[in-house]
Amino acid sequence: MKKKLNIEVDISEKKYFTSKYNENTLAPELKDYLLNEIIGYDINTKINININAKFKLTDEEKEHYKKIIIKEFKESNDELEYEIELGNIKKLTLLLIGISFVIASYFFGHAIGEILEEILMVFGWVALWEVAYAIFFTDASRRRKIKRNNQIIKSNIKYIDK
């Protein structure tokens, strides 16, 4: 059975739901708070977000704020997916450059001199290492952020009425 995490959100005024610059954007502090609350929990943990508003909310407002929360985290995922796509293009380019330098060093080393041969070899391996680093660390970090955002997107958002 998967664990459940209950995140308690106390909102004293409507202005703390949304950005001070746009009524249809989640407040950055609230977004950071939600992400901070799930740190340390398994990615597969189900989340309940319990919003305790210290003021009266209509059903339309409740639904509106719920949509804003979900929209914000979906937009973050879209941005991360875009970064992954750009990263894949950069990795492919670096891979080709790295392989080209290593091959050039091997085949043309005798013609260009020992120092230039070694420089090409080092540049080639550095480019290949950058590709490996991006695959093992950068991509893994982005995928983890997407999974964290999905936890909140799929969460059960409830309002506690008093």
Side-chain angles (χ1 to χ4, degrees):
M1 185 171 114
K2 294 182 182 179
K3 295 183 227 171
K4 288 212 177 242
L5 169 64
N6 291 314
I7 299 175
E8 305 297 328
V9 179
D10 294 323
I11 304 281
S12 59
E13 296 178 43
K14 285 183 185 181
K15 68 180 183 179
Y16 296 121
F17 264 117
T18 58
S19 169
K20 61 184 176 180
Y21 301 109
N22 187 340
E23 290 291 317
N24 293 316
T25 302
L26 187 67
E29 297 85 8
L30 182 53
K31 180 180 179 182
D32 291 343
Y33 171 75
L34 293 172
L35 288 171
N36 190 48
E37 286 298 301
I38 59 177
I39 290 175
Y41 289 91
D42 186 74
I43 286 179
N44 297 317
T45 302
K46 297 291 183 187
I47 297 176
N48 291 322
I49 299 175
N50 302 316
I51 300 174
N52 180 13
K54 308 290 185 190
F55 50 89
K56 189 72 175 157
L57 284 171
T58 66
D59 289 339
E60 293 82 26
E61 287 175 319
K62 289 178 183 179
E63 193 60 33
H64 176 69
Y65 291 133
K66 184 177 179 178
K67 285 179 182 177
I68 287 174
I69 292 170
I70 292 169
K71 178 184 81 109
E72 183 68 29
F73 287 95
K74 282 184 178 180
E75 287 174 353
S76 292
N77 277 357
D78 291 343
E79 181 67 21
L80 288 167
E81 293 288 345
Y82 179 70
E83 288 176 12
I84 288 171
E85 286 178 26
L86 284 180
N88 288 341
I89 293 168
K90 288 179 183 177
K91 285 185 290 199
L92 181 61
T93 304
L94 268 177
L95 179 69
L96 294 174
I97 289 171
I99 290 172
S100 298
F101 277 20
V102 170
I103 290 172
S105 168
Y106 181 76
F107 285 115
F108 303 117
H110 63 281
I112 60 175
E114 193 174 316
I115 293 175
L116 288 176
E117 174 186 2
E118 289 300 316
I119 290 172
L120 284 175
M121 183 68 73
V122 168
F123 281 176
W125 282 112
V126 167
L128 293 174
W129 170 248
E130 284 299 316
V131 172
Y133 182 86
I135 290 170
F136 291 123
F137 299 107
T138 307
D139 289 351
S141 173
R142 287 180 182 143
R143 283 191 300 274
R144 185 165 183 80
K145 287 178 184 177
I146 287 172
K147 288 180 182 179
R148 286 293 185 197
N149 288 341
N150 284 336
Q151 273 184 290
I152 294 175
I153 290 167
K154 294 175 184 174
S155 68
N156 181 22
I157 301 173
K158 307 185 279 193
Y159 291 88
I160 301 171
D161 293 323
K162 290 194 172 189

